[in-house]
Amino acid sequence: MKRFVLIFACILFLFAGCSDSGNTDSTSKKDALAPNYVAEGQMTVLRSLINSNALFVEEVFVEEFLPVDADKSISDKSGTFAPVSSDIFDSYEDFVQSLNATYTDEAAKSILEEFDMYKDIYGQLYLNTKSSAVKAKNYDWSAPEIEVITAAEGTYELEVTVKTEKGKDHTFEIKAVTVDGNIRLENIYY
């Protein structure tokens, strides 16, 4: 009887060892996805950057501009400027810091050059009253779907899907990089 129990335990142990082969396949699937794995904290940062990009597109640069107090307009050789009256930015410095918190330094400089309707006058944020919106398609950025395509060595390539005016999907390929320990977008996407 003892031999029977011993043989039964050995057979059971042998089968238990063989049953682990199914885990190898799932482990290899996990390893294949590892290069594109983004930790939840990093995904939170990426979502925040996408939402910040949406704010700049929808309310600051492309579709609309920040509201101004037209009664306090001033003119100089480059145009007529009105002070921005918005709860989003308190000053020109705050505006630039928000850009730098969303985009790389190079991208932020490029954005300020391309969209030159905003100006620093005595530390306050002013808008050129002659500026007109960029002719761009309006997208609904309220619920973007984000898929990580690649994530390696501080570089992220994402597919961000938003809705068009007609409710159809539109996908942006967005790139982000880690700069001095902070993730930043490489461009403004609209």
Side-chain angles (χ1 to χ4, degrees):
M1 181 74 169
K2 289 182 184 180
R3 283 186 181 176
F4 176 72
V5 172
L6 185 62
I7 291 174
F8 181 72
C10 287
I11 292 173
L12 185 61
F13 184 72
L14 180 64
F15 284 125
C18 292
S19 69
D20 191 39
S21 65
N23 287 342
T24 305
D25 188 37
S26 65
T27 304
S28 65
K29 288 179 185 175
K30 288 179 188 175
D31 291 341
L33 295 176
N36 294 332
Y37 174 75
V38 176
E40 188 55 38
Q42 292 169 319
M43 277 305 297
T44 300
V45 170
L46 290 167
R47 282 187 207 100
S48 177
L49 292 172
I50 299 300
N51 290 333
S52 183
N53 180 77
L55 171 93
F56 283 116
V57 169
E58 292 179 329
E59 298 181 32
V60 180
F61 290 119
V62 180
E63 295 175 17
E64 293 183 21
F65 299 129
L66 294 169
V68 297
D69 185 354
D71 294 336
K72 297 181 180 177
S73 295
I74 60 173
S75 296
D76 66 10
K77 61 184 174 186
S78 58
T80 302
F81 295 87
V84 170
S85 60
S86 170
D87 295 336
I88 299 173
F89 306 110
D90 294 328
S91 65
Y92 186 82
E93 182 180 336
D94 185 35
F95 172 68
V96 172
Q97 285 178 352
S98 294
L99 276 171
N100 288 327
T102 304
Y103 305 101
T104 63
D105 289 343
E106 297 82 20
K109 288 176 189 174
S110 175
I111 291 166
L112 287 172
E113 288 173 6
E114 180 180 353
F115 301 100
D116 61 352
M117 69 277 298
Y118 292 100
K119 187 174 184 176
D120 178 6
I121 300 177
Y122 305 118
Q124 291 303 114
L125 181 61
Y126 278 73
L127 173 69
N128 186 336
T129 59
K130 303 290 185 202
S131 297
S132 59
V134 174
K135 300 292 182 196
K137 294 181 180 180
N138 293 336
Y139 297 109
D140 178 7
W141 288 85
S142 61
E145 295 175 20
I146 303 170
E147 181 182 345
V148 177
I149 303 303
T150 60
E153 299 179 21
T155 302
Y156 305 87
E157 291 185 22
L158 313 167
E159 278 190 358
V160 177
T161 305
V162 296
K163 297 291 183 185
T164 66
E165 293 173 326
K166 296 180 181 180
K168 296 187 180 197
D169 287 347
H170 178 78
T171 301
F172 290 95
E173 290 184 13
I174 294 181
K175 292 184 180 181
V177 294
T178 302
V179 179
D180 297 328
N182 298 304
I183 302 172
R184 300 289 185 257
L185 297 180
E186 286 192 324
N187 203 350
I188 185 168
Y189 298 92
Y190 60 95

